[in-house]
Amino acid sequence: MRIDLIEKSFINISGKLYDSEFINLVNIKDNKISLNDRTLFLTIQEKEILNAQSIRGFDDAVYVFKYKNVYGLIADLSIKEYDSGRIKCHELVLPDTVQGMLSNLHGYNCEAAPILLGHRKKIDYKSYIDRLQYKERFSLSEDFVIYVFCGEEATKITEEFLDEEHMYVADGHHRLYTTSLSTFKNSVFSCLISLDYLDIQPIHRIIPNVDAQLFEKAKDFIYSRFEVLSGDTPLSKGKIRIGYGKEKFVVNLIDLNSDAFWNNDIYRLNTQIISQAFRIFDTGSLRYLSNGELIKYKEISSKKDVIIETFPIGKEEFVECANKNCIMPPKSTFFLPKFPSFLIFKQYK
């Protein structure tokens, strides 16, 4: 696998950290952040605050980071590796999303959030850090440190990936595909983390505003077709928990006489429960929540909302599906940790 140095990059040294979903693209002009009228989702005051944040530029660099006990690398990935099939994807790409992203690429000049790629090999980044060959060190918090490597020292780190046959997209399917269609952008800003460090968490479903009579019909269908267990039964592969008001129960999804993809929990949930029991065929009408979001949601949820809790896919099952080029249903995986947005910027034009 060919991993490249970032030819022109910047790091935000203001000490501010933003969620990974905050912003994907930004303009940098004369070594300063330059968000303008094109960025519509931020107020003038918010843009002024962001534009005032200090950044430092580095050429031909990679960034090794340590977050708690997790090590990873921020670098550049040639889109040729994606086009060759060595980057394994597992999620459906939506044309409308890609169209908007292609348009935005022309309006900005820097990527501000890396895609997330998992890989098999566990690289000893600590040995590179201990040799003190990095150019700069930035301590962003007690748990989060970034080391900047440039030139030959950076190349030594990227060469660690030459014997890696595949990488797996954990987040960034649309950005990869958008770049593959672009006529002027030939690489993708990337965060590389060993699968040993990555955690796959579940994504839970909310069916909003379900009438009590409709829920009873769905419940009758489920009890007649599935094994139903106590609501306090711990979840595991093949089990989902359904909650409505004060009622909750666990459902054993039906095993299919096939491979891991067909027995993927989200596929079975969509086909066996959401479409058959609740008669919902457009999953765009659902809400999707992470573990943390679900805890907060339960405190304020409507009594008419159906909460469906899921169990995460295992890493080996995920890799098996990706290696077979299976396209999982949307919102099948939620990987952690995710690298912050608006911290490191890769200039692409």
Side-chain angles (χ1 to χ4, degrees):
M1 182 73 61
R2 174 187 164 189
I3 303 298
D4 295 324
L5 311 188
I6 307 175
E7 186 176 337
K8 184 71 175 176
S9 61
F10 303 86
I11 183 168
N12 187 335
I13 59 173
S14 69
K16 303 290 185 181
L17 292 177
Y18 298 89
D19 183 84
S20 62
E21 303 295 327
F22 175 58
I23 193 169
N24 287 334
L25 298 171
V26 68
N27 273 320
I28 290 180
K29 185 177 180 181
D30 298 327
N31 294 325
K32 293 182 180 179
I33 300 166
S34 181
L35 292 168
N36 53 31
D37 293 341
R38 183 181 179 91
T39 308
L40 301 177
F41 65 91
L42 296 172
T43 66
I44 293 174
Q45 183 180 17
E46 287 171 331
K47 284 184 276 193
E48 287 176 348
I49 292 172
L50 295 173
N51 287 345
Q53 292 180 0
S54 298
I55 61 174
R56 288 270 305 276
F58 294 94
D59 297 333
D60 299 324
V62 297
Y63 298 78
V64 172
F65 66 88
K66 181 179 185 292
Y67 173 66
K68 297 182 179 178
N69 66 329
V70 174
Y71 286 90
L73 182 72
I74 303 296
D76 209 13
L77 174 75
S78 170
I79 201 63
K80 291 180 180 178
E81 299 288 7
Y82 172 77
D83 291 336
S84 71
R86 300 184 72 186
I87 305 298
K88 294 296 183 180
C89 303
H90 70 279
E91 200 170 278
L92 193 64
V93 175
L94 305 176
D96 288 349
T97 302
V98 170
Q99 184 175 340
M101 285 185 167
L102 274 171
S103 174
N104 283 335
L105 281 181
H106 292 275
Y108 296 90
N109 69 354
C110 289
E111 292 170 271
I115 68 167
L116 178 58
L117 297 173
H119 55 86
R120 290 279 199 182
K121 187 174 183 179
K122 193 169 183 179
I123 295 169
D124 184 10
Y125 291 114
K126 188 176 183 300
S127 66
Y128 289 95
I129 294 168
D130 289 345
R131 288 201 293 269
L132 303 179
Q133 297 298 312
Y134 51 85
K135 192 176 185 69
E136 199 85 44
R137 177 186 183 275
F138 297 95
S139 182
L140 306 175
S141 71
E142 185 178 341
D143 296 324
F144 195 8
V145 184
I146 291 180
Y147 303 86
V148 187
F149 291 82
C150 297
E152 290 184 10
E153 293 303 319
T155 299
K156 290 177 185 177
I157 296 175
T158 60
E159 286 176 347
E160 293 266 14
F161 292 93
L162 290 176
D163 59 352
E164 193 77 336
E165 186 176 359
H166 296 298
M167 288 195 181
Y168 302 89
V169 183
D171 186 46
H173 290 81
H174 286 89
R175 282 174 277 169
L176 272 165
Y177 187 66
T178 298
T179 298
S180 74
L181 299 179
S182 169
T183 57
F184 64 92
K185 186 173 178 289
N186 57 14
S187 64
V188 179
F189 185 40
S190 301
C191 173
L192 315 177
I193 301 180
S194 168
L195 288 168
D196 286 349
Y197 286 130
L198 285 173
D199 181 27
I200 306 179
Q201 295 197 357
I203 303 180
H204 310 292
R205 271 71 176 152
I206 305 296
I207 307 177
N209 198 28
V210 176
D211 181 84
Q213 188 174 1
L214 175 59
F215 177 76
E216 287 302 319
K217 287 183 178 179
K219 178 182 170 184
D220 288 344
F221 176 88
I222 291 169
Y223 270 78
S224 68
R225 303 288 184 92
F226 297 85
E227 180 186 8
V228 179
L229 308 171
S230 163
D232 295 325
T233 304
L235 294 186
S236 57
K237 179 172 172 55
K239 291 184 175 66
I240 55 139
R241 180 178 292 110
I242 296 178
Y244 184 75
K246 294 183 178 180
E247 187 170 5
K248 64 178 180 179
F249 51 88
V250 169
V251 181
N252 251 336
L253 299 171
I254 298 171
D255 281 334
L256 301 173
N257 186 22
S258 191
D259 59 17
F261 170 73
W262 295 104
N263 282 294
N264 171 272
D265 278 10
I266 301 303
Y267 173 81
R268 288 189 287 170
L269 169 61
N270 287 346
T271 57
Q272 297 177 17
I273 302 295
I274 292 176
S275 62
Q276 291 192 50
F278 289 96
R279 311 306 294 169
I280 294 174
F281 302 98
D282 177 13
T283 55
S285 64
L286 307 182
R287 288 187 60 186
Y288 301 92
L289 303 177
S290 65
N291 277 341
E293 291 169 332
L294 181 65
I295 293 171
K296 295 178 182 178
Y297 181 82
K298 284 183 175 180
E299 297 174 356
I300 60 170
S301 63
S302 166
K303 292 181 180 179
K304 287 192 173 184
D305 291 351
V306 174
I307 300 174
I308 303 177
E309 298 177 53
T310 65
F311 188 76
I313 187 173
K315 289 181 186 178
E316 289 306 316
E317 183 181 348
F318 163 76
V319 168
E320 180 185 350
C321 286
N323 283 341
K324 291 181 177 179
N325 299 316
C326 294
I327 300 300
M328 296 182 195
K331 306 293 184 181
S332 290
T333 58
F334 183 79
F335 284 84
L336 288 176
K338 296 182 187 293
F339 195 81
S341 168
F342 214 74
L343 176 56
I344 297 176
F345 312 101
K346 172 211 158 183
Q347 186 169 324
Y348 61 84
K349 69 172 185 174

